[in-house]
Amino acid sequence: MDAGGTQGRGTRVDGVDGVESTRPATHGAERGAGPDRRGPVVAALMLAMALAALDATIVSTAVPQIVGDLGGFSLFSWLFSGYLLAVTVTLPVYGKLSDTFGRKPVLVAGAALFLLGSLLCALAWNMGALIAFRVLQGLGGGALQGTVQTLAADLYPLEERPKIQARLSSVWAVSAVAGPGLGGVLVAYADWRWIFLVNLPVGALALWLIVRHLHEPAREGNGTRPRVDWAGALAVFACGGVLLAALVQGGVAWPWLSAPSFALFATGLALLAAVVVIERRAAEPIIPGWVWRRRTIAAVNLALGALGVLMVAPAVFLPTYAQSVLGLAPVAAGFVLSVWTLSWPVSAALSQHVYRRIGFRNTAMLGIGAASALLFAFPFLPYPGEAWQPALLMLLLGAALGLFQLPLIVGVQSTVGWAERGTATASILFCRQTGQTLGAAAFGAIANGVLAARLGGTGGGLEVGHLEAGGLDSVTRELGAGAADEPVRRAIADAVHAVYLGAAGAAALACLVLLVVAPRRFPVLKD
C-alpha cells in the first residue's frame, strides 16, 4: 500500500472493516464549530450548495427571454460554459487557500463574490456584460462548491460523515434538477433578471450564518507568514480555462479539426507544461504532487472523473429522448430524469452500512459495477417503450451511483488531516467537473455522428448546448423534422443509445481503476 507523503504506517481497523487506520487527526468539530453550533452552520452549507447547483442550470429556460432582451444569440452558450469553466478551474485554488488560511475566510469571500456576480448579472445591459458577470459568479461558485464539501468533513467524525454528505448530495441533486423549472416560473411570472436577484436574500442568509456561527481556532504555526503560490494559481487558472474552453466550444463554435481548436489545445498544453514547472518549484504548490502520488487519492480522482463523464448521458440526453422518442411533455420528461435524485441520496446515506463491512473500495466497485450494467441495459429497452422503463433504470442508477460516489468522497477525506483536506477534496471535485466537460464534448460528437449517419447528414447541427438549452424544440428545429416523424425518432433513439453505451464504458473504466490503482484498504486517520 502506498499511502504517500505524510501518511503514517497504519495499524488496524477503526470501526470500519477493510479500512486501515493511521495516526490521529484533529477532530472536525474542534477545527470548525462545536456540536452546539453545527446546526446553523450546516444550514448555511446547504443553502450555499443549493445556490451553486441552481446557477449551473437555472438559466437554461430563460435563454429566449435573455436573448430577446439583450441580443447576442451567437454567444448565449457562454452563459453556461463561462460559469462552469470558472467553477472548475478555481476549485484547486480555493482548496489550497482553505488549507492555508482556513475554511471560513475562503467561504465568506466566495459567497460575497457570488452575490456580487448575481447582482451584476441582474443589472447586465448586453450579452457580453452578462457573460462576464456569469464568470464572476463562477469564481465565487468554485469557493462555495469546494469549501462546503470540505467543511462538512471538518464538522463531523468519520462515523457521521455519510449523513451530512448525503444531505448535501440531496440538496445538489434536487437543486440542479429544479433549476430549469424554477427559471421557467420566474421568467413566466416576473422577469429573467429575478433568476439572479433571488440569490441575494438566500446567499445573504447563508453568509450571515457562516459569519455568526462558524468559529475556527487560530492556526498553529511557527510565526511565519503563510506563503501562497500565486504564480501557480494563475497558471492553473489559465491552463484550465484554455483547455476547457477548447473542449466546450470544439464542435460547437468551430469544427474540431480547425485552426481555433488546434491553437487552443496547443496553448493549453504549453500552459500545462508551465504549471508542472511552476508547481515543482513552489514551496506550497496549489496542486501538490501528493494528490497524484498517493494511490488512494489518485484512484478516486480518476474514478470520479469517469463519474463526471457518464453523468452527461442521462443529464443531457435523456430529457430529449423522453420528449422526442417517448412523446412525453417537458414536465413528464423532467420527471423521468429527476427520479434518480430520489434514490441517490438514500443510497448514499445507507452506504455506510456497506463500507463498514466490506470497505470503501469494494463498496464503490459494487456501485459502479451495477451502474455500468444499468447503462448498458438502456439501449435494450423496447422501442419506443413506456416512460416507466427508463424511469426505473434511472431510479436504480441513482441508487448505484450513491453507493459509488459517497464512499469515495468520505474515504479520501478520512485519509488526510485538516491541513490537507481542502486540497484533497478540491482535487476530486475538479476531476469530476473536468470529466463532465470531457463527457459533454465526447458524447456530443458521438450523438452528432450517429444522427448524421442515420439522417443522411441532416443531424450535423445538433449540439450538446442546444440539447441543454432547448430540449425537443431545439432538436426538431435543428433537424428540420417533427418529433413524430419515424426516421427522426429512430435516429435520436440510436444516438442516445450510443451515448449510453459510451457511459457504460466510462463506468467500467472507473471500476477497473479502483481495482488496479486503489489500495484494498484506505489508510484512514483516527478522529
Side-chain angles (χ1 to χ4, degrees):
M1 179 189 65
D2 177 19
T6 60
Q7 297 280 16
R9 297 287 183 262
T11 56
R12 276 287 300 180
V13 177
D14 179 28
V16 181
D17 188 19
V19 179
E20 188 172 337
S21 175
T22 64
R23 72 184 191 278
T26 305
H27 194 287
E30 294 174 1
R31 296 301 313 223
D36 58 322
R37 294 183 180 274
R38 290 193 304 195
V41 174
V42 169
L45 297 184
M46 295 175 74
L47 289 173
M49 182 65 79
L51 287 177
L54 274 172
D55 267 74
T57 60
I58 195 172
V59 177
S60 61
T61 48
V63 167
Q65 289 75 17
I66 294 174
V67 171
D69 191 9
L70 301 180
F73 178 79
S74 62
L75 301 173
F76 85 86
S77 64
W78 278 100
L79 293 177
F80 313 98
S81 303
Y83 178 85
L84 293 175
L85 288 174
V87 169
T88 302
V89 299
T90 54
L91 277 169
V93 177
Y94 285 127
K96 182 62 179 180
L97 291 178
S98 74
D99 285 342
T100 304
F101 297 105
R103 322 297 189 215
K104 183 174 181 177
V106 172
L107 187 55
V108 169
L113 201 59
F114 182 87
L115 293 178
L116 175 61
S118 298
L119 177 61
L120 292 175
C121 282
L123 300 175
W125 53 91
N126 60 36
M127 185 63 76
L130 181 57
I131 291 170
F133 298 145
R134 281 284 284 172
V135 172
L136 183 63
Q137 255 193 322
L139 296 179
L144 296 182
Q145 187 172 331
T147 312
V148 163
Q149 294 275 15
T150 306
L151 255 175
D154 289 344
L155 294 173
Y156 290 88
L158 174 60
E159 292 76 11
E160 299 181 50
R161 281 176 195 153
K163 297 179 182 178
I164 181 60
Q165 292 288 2
R167 292 182 195 173
L168 293 176
S169 296
S170 301
V171 170
W172 180 271
V174 172
S175 299
V177 173
L182 178 59
V185 170
L186 290 172
V187 168
Y189 295 99
D191 184 82
W192 65 264
R193 298 179 188 272
W194 280 98
I195 288 174
F196 304 105
L197 291 175
V198 295
N199 291 337
L200 301 182
V202 177
L205 176 59
L207 188 59
W208 180 82
L209 288 172
I210 290 294
V211 172
R212 176 71 177 82
H213 293 283
L214 179 61
H215 301 286
E216 293 183 303
R219 295 294 310 277
E220 298 176 2
N222 55 10
T224 61
R225 188 174 181 179
R227 300 177 66 180
V228 180
D229 177 24
W230 294 116
L234 181 61
V236 168
F237 187 87
C239 175
V242 170
L243 287 176
L244 291 175
L247 291 170
V248 168
Q249 294 300 104
V252 178
W254 48 73
W256 285 109
L257 301 178
S258 65
S261 281
F262 289 136
L264 282 176
F265 279 115
T267 303
L269 292 175
L271 288 170
L272 180 60
V275 168
V276 173
V277 172
I278 292 171
E279 295 299 85
R280 294 184 71 173
R281 294 179 178 178
E284 294 290 338
I286 290 293
I287 303 180
W290 56 260
V291 301
W292 291 104
R293 287 195 298 269
R294 297 181 192 174
R295 287 176 56 195
T296 304
I297 302 176
V300 173
N301 281 343
L302 295 173
L304 288 188
L307 172 66
V309 172
L310 72 88
M311 284 179 63
V312 172
V316 174
F317 292 89
L318 184 60
T320 297
Y321 177 89
Q323 293 179 68
S324 57
V325 176
L326 302 181
L328 300 180
V331 173
F335 176 78
V336 171
L337 172 63
S338 65
V339 292
W340 73 343
T341 67
L342 303 176
S343 55
W344 190 319
V346 173
S347 173
L350 296 176
S351 66
Q352 60 177 315
H353 301 294
V354 182
Y355 69 64
R356 288 181 188 281
R357 292 180 176 274
I358 64 175
F360 291 120
R361 188 194 73 162
N362 291 342
T363 302
M365 289 177 62
L366 179 64
I368 199 62
S372 181
L374 290 166
L375 290 164
F376 184 76
F378 187 90
F380 297 97
L381 292 177
Y383 174 87
E386 302 290 337
W388 67 266
Q389 294 165 338
L392 177 60
L393 281 185
M394 289 302 298
L395 190 69
L396 296 174
L397 181 63
L401 294 180
L403 202 62
F404 166 69
Q405 177 180 258
L406 189 66
L408 294 182
I409 293 177
V410 172
V412 164
Q413 290 178 331
S414 302
T415 65
V416 294
W418 187 95
E420 296 178 337
R421 191 171 291 142
T423 299
T425 302
S427 174
I428 59 179
L429 294 178
F430 173 79
C431 288
R432 188 183 67 184
Q433 290 281 113
T434 303
Q436 287 182 284
T437 304
L438 290 170
F443 293 156
I446 290 172
N448 284 334
V450 173
L451 286 169
R454 297 294 186 273
L455 297 172
T458 59
L462 177 59
E463 305 291 353
V464 170
H466 297 125
L467 288 170
E468 290 176 327
L472 175 60
D473 290 339
S474 289
V475 173
T476 54
R477 282 198 301 269
E478 293 293 336
L479 295 177
D485 291 349
E486 186 62 18
V488 174
R489 296 178 71 188
R490 282 284 185 182
I492 294 174
D494 289 344
V496 176
H497 290 166
V499 165
Y500 266 78
L501 289 176
L509 180 61
C511 189
L512 181 63
V513 164
L514 292 176
L515 179 64
V516 174
V517 181
R520 189 167 64 88
R521 293 189 178 96
F522 281 23
V524 171
L525 305 181
K526 293 181 180 179
D527 287 310

